[in-house]
Amino acid sequence: MDKMALSKKVMRVQPSATLAMAAKTKAMLAKGADVINLSLGEPDFTTPTAIESAAIDAIRSGKTSFYTPAGGLPELKQAIAQRVAADTGVKYQAKQIIATTGAKFALYLIFQVILNAGDEVLLPAPFWVSYAEQVKLAGGRPLLVHPTGENGKVTVADLEMVRTPQTQALVINSPQNPTGAIYTASELTALGHWAASHDILLIADEIYSHLVYNGNQFTSVIQLDQTIRDNTLLVSGLSKTYAMTGWRLGYVLGNAGIIQAMTTVASHATGNPTAVSQYAAIAALNGDQSAAEAMRLSFEQRLNYLFPKIQSLSGFELPTKPQGAFYLFPNVKRAVVRCGYTTTEDFVTDLLTQAYVAVVPGRAFGQPDYIRISYAASETQLAEAYQRMAEFLRTKGNPD
Ligand SMILES: Cc1ncc(COP(=O)(O)O)c(C=O)c1O
């Protein structure tokens, strides 16, 4: 298609850097290259058998052949409400819940329904790649916030520096992709009261809330107090906790008016989330959680294994151990320079094409001097990736 025919809005949007890296890697793998893929934002496990069986049963019993309500089956909304109540003690009604085609589409819908042209959304860096592009697609302006708080977390003072009268929303992602940092209850309370007092909607992306390691504590924004809860949209989904990325099932809980508007937009976009995925999600949320817990434990072991190894790499800086999610986000500026590169992107490209290790450059997350390494891979693969990276740094960093 002629470029002239594309809308200005679409021309401003960047393709997903994580998906682009994944595509490059998959193309190399398809040609038979022995690439270790640490670029992905998804568990390397397959969906637990009980969930798959529930989905197969739903298909066989003929339940999945039909449209469902656009915002999800009533049984699914009930299962979401029950799981959230079990995890947080907070109760939501069906009219405050929407099930969506992944948390990604949930966030897309939120920005579509809350933003007018020129409205701003505060995005503390580093941030998940899709937020900024989704804000732009909704006609809004992403406002990058540079955190000065402990462990790369944003403070009220950081937000206040950037806020303008056009600021409509703030996204807080905890546990965070890509740093793995978790906001404490008191940090969230300060941010939550600040947002409520300025009429700034708090969007709490808690998709990694079940992937918390080594005894660290997670507090959900909705557990703080009523003022903050009333001003919060809680975004989550099944992708990460239950190894269900391919099923595309996310959800949002919060203000009934916003949920209704999101449902209306979804009804004209995807229609309902895929019926079979909804039945799988009901089984996942209502069922025994031990398979999810086993996967969490695996991620914890992998984190404990890989973190000191990445810390030890020459020119990599990673002072704080991640508390959740499944990524490491080291600053690699010194390694990039020492190896003779001018950009992190060039470094990452050669790491892929010469050392056969795929990671993602930090620019897409708002921090160009960093790379994101996913540890959603087996310990054998992580060990091999570490060896390859260490060798790459040795060869490139000491060319003679
Ligand atoms: C922080 C964050 N939010 C949301 C999503 C979207 O997840 P999904 O659309 O698979 O539910 C992801 C996936 O990578 C993520 O990392």
Side-chain angles (χ1 to χ4, degrees):
M1 192 204 266
D2 185 342
K3 231 179 171 195
M4 295 300 286
L6 297 175
S7 72
K8 286 187 189 132
K9 187 173 69 181
V10 156
M11 302 271 274
R12 283 198 302 268
V13 173
Q14 303 292 323
S16 161
T18 44
L19 294 186
M21 198 62 198
K24 231 188 215 177
T25 308
K26 281 182 180 158
M28 285 179 69
L29 285 165
K31 286 191 190 144
D34 170 27
V35 178
I36 300 179
N37 191 359
L38 306 185
S39 73
L40 287 181
E42 63 181 342
D44 55 320
F45 302 107
T46 54
T47 307
T49 317
I51 301 172
E52 290 181 340
S53 302
I56 292 164
D57 289 349
I59 292 172
R60 294 240 161 92
S61 61
K63 288 197 281 191
T64 58
S65 305
F66 307 102
Y67 292 132
T68 77
L73 291 159
E75 310 91 284
L76 175 57
K77 291 191 180 188
Q78 199 184 356
I80 293 167
Q82 279 169 359
R83 172 76 10 232
V84 170
D87 289 343
T88 65
V90 182
K91 295 202 171 84
Y92 284 86
Q93 298 167 16
K95 66 179 182 190
Q96 298 175 291
I97 303 172
I98 178 174
T100 55
T101 305
K104 189 178 263 191
F105 188 56
L107 287 154
Y108 181 88
L109 289 173
I110 291 173
F111 297 128
Q112 288 294 323
V113 306
I114 66 163
L115 296 179
N116 285 307
D119 284 349
E120 298 160 349
V121 179
L122 296 167
L123 300 178
F127 49 77
W128 180 54
V129 291
S130 291
Y131 299 141
E133 307 312 312
Q134 291 189 346
V135 168
K136 289 193 245 166
L137 278 169
R141 289 202 326 124
L143 281 190
L144 231 80
V145 186
H146 294 287
T148 61
E150 185 210 328
N151 199 0
K153 289 182 274 186
V154 82
T155 65
V156 165
D158 301 333
L159 297 169
E160 196 53 62
M161 294 254 295
V162 185
R163 178 181 73 89
T164 80
Q166 275 72 54
T167 306
Q168 291 298 325
L170 160 67
V171 180
I172 293 293
N173 174 214
S174 174
Q176 201 202 33
N177 174 5
T179 63
I182 294 179
Y183 281 81
T184 65
S186 65
E187 288 165 343
L188 290 175
T189 304
L191 298 178
H193 284 150
W194 176 84
S197 70
H198 293 292
D199 232 356
I200 291 173
L201 181 71
L202 184 50
I203 301 167
D205 180 347
E206 298 185 355
I207 196 156
Y208 294 99
S209 62
H210 291 101
L211 297 175
V212 174
Y213 313 119
N214 298 312
N216 283 294
Q217 288 300 311
F218 167 77
T219 303
S220 171
V221 171
I222 62 168
Q223 290 175 291
L224 299 173
D225 64 39
Q226 192 68 44
T227 308
I228 295 175
R229 190 155 49 246
D230 289 347
N231 186 49
T232 297
L233 292 177
L234 171 63
V235 180
S236 194
L238 283 87
S239 285
K240 318 290 177 175
T241 310
Y242 301 102
M244 289 178 69
T245 49
W247 299 81
R248 313 305 304 123
L249 214 300
Y251 52 86
V252 181
L253 301 98
N255 178 281
I258 296 181
I259 296 293
Q260 179 55 54
M262 289 170 66
T263 308
T264 303
V265 176
S267 76
H268 296 298
T270 58
N272 58 268
T274 308
V276 66
S277 298
Q278 294 190 55
Y279 286 102
I282 293 168
L285 294 165
N286 286 345
D288 176 14
Q289 302 297 299
S290 58
E293 174 58 9
M295 292 189 279
R296 187 197 68 77
L297 272 172
S298 282
F299 288 128
E300 182 174 275
Q301 277 166 12
R302 294 157 173 198
L303 166 65
N304 293 344
Y305 170 77
L306 192 64
F307 172 68
K309 289 205 147 26
I310 295 298
Q311 268 193 315
S312 75
L313 287 174
S314 170
F316 279 42
E317 279 169 41
L318 186 62
T320 316
K321 188 169 186 177
Q323 299 167 300
F326 40 64
Y327 312 101
L328 301 174
F329 197 60
N331 183 321
V332 295
K333 188 170 185 172
R334 281 192 301 122
V336 168
V337 171
R338 194 176 306 144
C339 293
Y341 296 100
T342 42
T343 67
T344 311
E345 283 77 4
D346 291 342
F347 174 81
V348 163
T349 299
D350 277 6
L351 198 60
L352 174 62
T353 55
Q354 296 175 19
Y356 296 99
V357 177
V359 300
V360 187
R363 189 181 304 278
F365 303 91
Q367 294 194 326
D369 291 336
Y370 291 70
I371 60 171
R372 191 188 75 172
I373 302 170
S374 164
Y375 53 85
S378 73
E379 231 172 87
T380 315
Q381 286 177 307
L382 295 178
E384 175 62 20
Y386 163 72
Q387 293 297 345
R388 291 182 189 184
M389 288 168 90
E391 180 56 27
F392 179 81
L393 292 170
R394 253 193 309 276
T395 319
K396 296 277 171 182
N398 306 294
D400 22 64

